[in-house]
């Protein structure tokens, strides 16, 4: 899907449309010259998109879906005034931006990996490299640096600092090449912040708005919607996640009276890769079908993708067993799994199941990316990509709630992924990381095969992310029929705790907690514990299951 080599010949161009490449980014930057972006300077993705991004149709308009709250937001006058600062010779008596001489940090230094030597030991040893960020680096006209502490420590524009807006725009175009022209990016305070803002833009309590999501969904997302007065309804899933036919059924047969007065949903919130909590990954075919159903019912999509780059090769169990479904992606692996550990950047990008954003001809997707799961959660830096109209609503909101992510965080992220690693080094880091997660995934699956009673516990090997969703057969409980699923779940949860293993109860993730549980599930993660502890934890979980089900 992703083409990383420029197609110059007419024949090749006829087969594959031209799109941005790594070489293309380098060439564009060289041609554009040094980025000049002083304190609080305005930027937007249009300054950094390649010519390939234009000449495509424009996005549909979404004003009819915007909430009263969002429509009431105008531009922040103080942020707007900052654009005059770039006028040569301008002396500011305007915005309350403190002078950097009163910032009590002179420099910041970081030790980071040198691609491709990414391990902790390599970074700590002679292969690691030190970066020092000075207060006024960007003032040196002969220097490489375009972002320094004097800028990062001051107020900035809510869209994000120009150097990082440039990087996320280039990265997004390289990986997703959105098929419409007027897309933009804006930095976010992680996907948590992005979702809260997106919900408040698209949903209005006064209208009785509701959203759809997977029947088991990320609990924090549910906890974000409910206090806003937004009702959440679940859609049936299988091993590939959200089932498009179920989505169509729910929307086609929507009856507000049967749904407590909720309007037919106009938003779908979905996590297509390594879904939290089920670990399911939608194949390309699945994504296309979901998109089509959303087009049919004019539903806008929030694509939350913190695990997108943690897509893994298919799992080969030692006993040759592999349950699951076909992903329908060009390579056709089980459970949306990618074929082989990627060796080259081209193979890596090619192996990723294309995003909803990459098939979004209407501009009906707001994609959320985050550095949390692929660099550090504490950065609190992520970004959204959506049509200009939607990103404008998002920035207006950010101006009055968080002003975008911390400038210091943006600076650190920029130094790492742009100035030090560059796009290529960052992609190599992602390749390294997915190898790490593949090993951890394989460790937990091997432990499950060894320690769990297979007639009681089943699972689909995850093809992305950090979660393994275990399904337990409640019919085999000694008091089946006399006790509820929730009671069995609780009994198993506390038995696990007593044995020294914490696993997350499936019921905590129900999109509709007042509906009966559709099964007995536990979410486990292979991200947190050490590999040796993962095996020990699964052994304890197996012992708890045996005890609760009268097998010990
Ligand atoms: N979305 C999903 C599906 C997640 O699993 C998580 C983290 N658990 C988040 C969003 C939060 O991401 P962030 O740290 O970027 O706010």
């Amino acid at each position: 899907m992703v083409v990383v080599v420029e197609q110059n010949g007419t024949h090749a161009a006829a087969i594959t449309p031209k799109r941005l490449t790594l070489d293309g980014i380098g060439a564009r930057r060289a041609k554009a010259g040094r980025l000049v972006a002083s304190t609080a300077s305005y930027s937007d993705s249009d300054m950094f998109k390649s010519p390939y991004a234009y000449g495509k149709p424009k996005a549909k308009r979404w004003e009819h879906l915007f909430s009263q709250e969002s429509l009431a937001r105008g531009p922040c006058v103080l942020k707007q005034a900052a654009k005059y600062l770039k006028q040569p010779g301008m002396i500011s008596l305007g915005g309350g931006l403190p002078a950097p001489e009163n910032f009590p940090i002179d420099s910041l230094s970081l030790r980071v990996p040198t691609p491709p030597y990414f391990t902790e030991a390599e970074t700590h040893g002679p292969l690691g490299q030190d970066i020092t960020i000075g207060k006024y680096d960007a003032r040196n006209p002969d220097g490489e640096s375009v972002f320094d502490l004097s800028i990062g420590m001051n107020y900035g524009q809510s869209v994000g600092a120009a150097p990082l807006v440039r990087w996320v725009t280039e990265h997004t175009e390289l990986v997703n090449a959105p098929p419409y022209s007027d897309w933009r990016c804006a930095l976010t305070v992680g996907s948590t912040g992005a979702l809260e803002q997106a919900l408040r833009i698209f949903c209005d309590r006064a209208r009785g708005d509701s959203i759809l999501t997977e029947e088991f969904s990320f609990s924090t997302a549910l906890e974000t919607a409910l206090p806003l007065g937004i009702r959440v309804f679940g859609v049936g899933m299988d091993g590939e996640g959200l089932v498009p036919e179920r989505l169509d059924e729910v929307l086609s047969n929507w009856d507000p009276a049967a749904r407590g007065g909720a309007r037919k949903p106009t938003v779908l919130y979905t996590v297509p890769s390594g879904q939290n909590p089920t670990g399911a990954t939608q194949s390309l075919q699945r994504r296309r079908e979901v998109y089509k159903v959303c087009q049919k019912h004019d539903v806008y999509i929030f694509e939350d993708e913190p695990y997108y780059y943690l897509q893994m090769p298919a799992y080969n169990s030692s006993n040759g067993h592999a349950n699951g479904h076909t992903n329908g992606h060009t390579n056709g692996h089980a459970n949306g799994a990618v074929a082989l550990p990627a060796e080259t950047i081209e193979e890596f990008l090619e192996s990723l199941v294309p995003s909803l954003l990459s098939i979004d001809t209407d501009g009906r997707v707001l994609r959320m990316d985050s550095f949390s799961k692929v660099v550090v959660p504490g950065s609190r830096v992520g970004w959204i990509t959506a049509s200009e109209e939607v990103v404008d609503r998002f920035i207006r909101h950010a101006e009055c709630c968080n002003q975008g992510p911390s400038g210091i965080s943006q600076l650190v992220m920029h130094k790492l992924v742009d100035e030090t690693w560059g796009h290529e080094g960052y992609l190599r880091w992602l390749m390294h990381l997915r190898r790490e997660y593949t090993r951890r995934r394989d460790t937990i699956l091997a432990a499950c095969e060894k320690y769990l009673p297979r007639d009681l516990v089943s699972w689909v090997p995850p093809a992305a992310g950090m979660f393994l969703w275990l399904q337990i057969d409640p019919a085999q409980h000694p008091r089946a029929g006399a006790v509820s699923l929730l009671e069995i779940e609780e009994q198993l949860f506390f038995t696990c705790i007593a044995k020294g293993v914490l696993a997350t109860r499936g019921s905590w993730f129900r999109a509709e907690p007042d509906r009966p549980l559709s099964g007995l599930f536990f979410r486990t993660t292979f991200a947190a514990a050490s590999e040796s502890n993962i095996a020990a934890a699964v052994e304890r979980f197996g012992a708890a299951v045996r005890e609760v089900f009268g097998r010990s």
Side-chain angles (χ1 to χ4, degrees):
M1 223 19 213
V2 173
V3 181
V4 181
V5 177
E6 297 262 5
Q7 303 288 324
N8 288 323
T10 6
H11 178 62
I15 299 167
T16 314
K18 287 187 171 191
R19 56 180 291 168
L20 184 64
T21 65
L22 279 176
D23 288 347
I25 293 173
R28 273 187 60 72
R29 283 203 186 193
K31 196 167 160 211
R34 191 166 188 272
L35 177 67
V36 179
S38 53
T39 301
S41 50
Y42 172 84
S43 67
D44 67 51
S45 291
D46 280 350
M47 298 160 73
F48 309 119
K49 281 150 71 173
S50 82
Y52 303 129
Y54 301 98
K56 297 177 186 174
K58 284 199 157 198
K60 287 186 187 301
R61 305 289 294 175
W62 303 104
E63 191 175 337
H64 61 289
L65 297 185
F66 294 159
S67 65
Q68 284 307 310
E69 174 190 336
S70 184
L71 290 169
R73 290 182 189 281
C76 170
V77 288
L78 294 177
K79 293 279 182 210
Q80 300 295 310
K83 62 176 178 257
Y84 300 109
L85 288 173
K86 68 172 188 242
Q87 184 175 311
M90 180 65 77
I91 301 170
S92 178
L93 300 177
L97 280 70
E101 55 260 37
N102 289 323
F103 294 161
I105 301 174
D106 184 66
S107 68
L108 197 62
S109 94
L110 319 163
R111 189 165 181 82
V112 300
T114 307
Y117 308 106
F118 291 116
T119 66
E120 209 177 37
E122 285 166 334
T123 308
H124 194 66
L127 290 168
Q129 53 181 316
D130 291 311
I131 318 171
T132 301
I133 310 171
K135 207 179 204 178
Y136 299 112
D137 290 350
R139 291 190 186 174
N140 175 2
D142 304 321
E144 295 276 294
S145 207
V146 295
F147 197 7
D148 62 24
L149 277 169
S150 76
I151 301 168
M153 289 195 292
N154 218 322
Y155 286 114
Q157 293 290 333
S158 301
V159 66
L164 199 52
V165 171
R166 175 175 66 174
W167 187 90
V168 302
T169 302
E170 291 165 346
H171 176 82
T172 300
E173 189 178 344
L174 180 72
V175 176
N176 300 286
Y180 64 96
S181 61
D182 50 337
W183 58 272
R184 286 194 183 181
C185 301
L187 300 192
T188 65
V189 184
S191 298
T192 307
L195 178 63
E196 202 259 357
Q197 286 180 229
L199 283 168
R200 284 172 59 177
I201 292 168
F202 280 92
C203 300
D204 206 323
R205 174 204 288 257
R207 282 194 308 228
D209 282 355
S210 62
I211 63 166
L212 293 173
T213 186
E214 285 90 355
E215 63 173 314
F216 290 98
S217 185
F218 175 42
S219 50
T220 310
L222 306 173
E223 288 155 1
T224 308
L226 292 177
L228 295 173
I230 302 162
R231 298 272 306 276
V232 182
F233 296 96
V235 176
M237 306 174 73
D238 64 14
E240 269 192 42
L242 198 73
V243 178
E245 291 78 12
R246 298 287 93 74
L247 181 64
D248 191 28
E249 253 166 52
V250 169
L251 286 163
S252 300
N253 303 318
W254 193 264
D255 175 6
R259 301 282 188 164
R263 256 189 357 141
K264 182 175 169 180
T266 48
V267 169
L268 168 70
Y269 165 75
T270 183
V271 181
S273 312
Q275 198 252 359
N276 187 354
T278 64
T281 297
Q282 297 170 18
S283 64
L284 174 57
Q285 181 60 21
R286 179 63 63 96
R287 288 172 203 220
R288 286 199 172 120
E289 285 163 9
V290 167
Y291 189 80
K292 220 166 146 191
V293 175
C294 290
Q295 282 182 310
K296 177 176 165 193
H297 295 277
D298 202 20
V299 165
Y300 192 87
I301 304 172
F302 296 166
E303 176 185 37
D304 185 10
E305 278 290 43
Y307 309 106
Y308 183 71
Y309 294 100
L310 302 181
Q311 295 184 40
M312 305 170 199
Y315 175 67
N316 286 317
S317 83
S318 42
N319 60 15
H321 132 95
N323 43 44
H325 312 253
T326 307
N327 79 344
H329 182 34
T330 42
N331 296 333
H333 313 293
N335 316 321
V338 293
L340 290 165
E343 313 254 77
T344 66
I345 288 177
E346 289 78 5
E347 284 165 349
F348 172 62
L349 291 174
E350 172 72 21
S351 74
L352 300 173
V353 183
S355 64
L356 283 166
L357 175 65
S358 76
I359 57 170
D360 180 20
T361 44
D362 296 343
R364 69 171 62 246
V365 173
L366 180 149
R367 178 178 165 94
M368 299 173 222
D369 276 282
S370 172
F371 284 125
S372 284
K373 296 301 178 2
V374 287
V375 185
V376 286
S379 72
R380 308 312 304 137
V381 179
W383 70 95
I384 56 151
T385 309
S387 64
E388 181 181 352
E389 184 195 20
V390 172
V391 171
D392 182 66
R393 290 297 89 211
F394 193 89
I395 296 168
R396 299 290 81 83
H397 187 164
E399 282 171 344
C400 298
C401 72
N402 50 37
Q403 298 197 35
S406 149
I408 297 176
S409 249
Q410 293 187 47
L411 181 55
V412 168
M413 294 311 303
H414 173 264
K415 289 286 158 179
L416 181 66
V417 302
D418 189 330
E419 248 178 78
T420 309
W421 286 352
H423 287 285
E424 182 172 344
Y426 180 64
L427 293 170
R428 290 201 185 284
W429 162 256
L430 295 174
M431 290 156 67
H432 158 80
L433 206 59
R434 82 151 167 184
R435 278 193 294 275
E436 291 293 305
Y437 277 94
T438 303
R439 219 185 47 239
R440 285 171 163 273
R441 189 252 342 236
D442 293 354
T443 300
I444 201 168
L445 290 174
C448 287
E449 285 165 7
K450 185 163 173 197
Y451 295 117
L452 301 185
R454 296 296 293 271
D455 60 323
L456 262 177
V457 189
S458 58
W459 57 88
V460 176
M466 40 182 68
F467 300 114
L468 173 65
W469 187 237
L470 298 173
Q471 177 161 24
I472 299 129
D473 178 9
Q476 300 189 45
H477 189 271
R479 299 187 56 227
V483 282
S484 70
L485 275 183
L486 270 177
E487 284 168 315
I488 301 175
E489 188 193 79
E490 182 169 271
Q491 187 191 7
L492 184 50
F493 177 75
F494 285 112
T495 309
C496 284
I497 297 287
K499 293 196 181 297
V501 58
L502 179 64
T504 314
R505 294 170 66 164
S507 65
W508 291 348
F509 300 99
R510 274 177 300 171
E512 295 173 67
D514 21 350
R515 287 181 71 172
L517 252 185
S518 60
L520 179 58
F521 298 97
F522 275 78
R523 188 194 77 174
T524 59
T525 177
F526 41 95
S530 68
E531 285 175 61
S532 57
N533 278 344
I534 287 174
V538 172
E539 187 173 8
R540 291 174 193 180
F541 186 84
V545 171
R546 286 192 176 85
E547 187 175 311
V548 167
F549 283 78
R551 299 283 181 90
S552 42

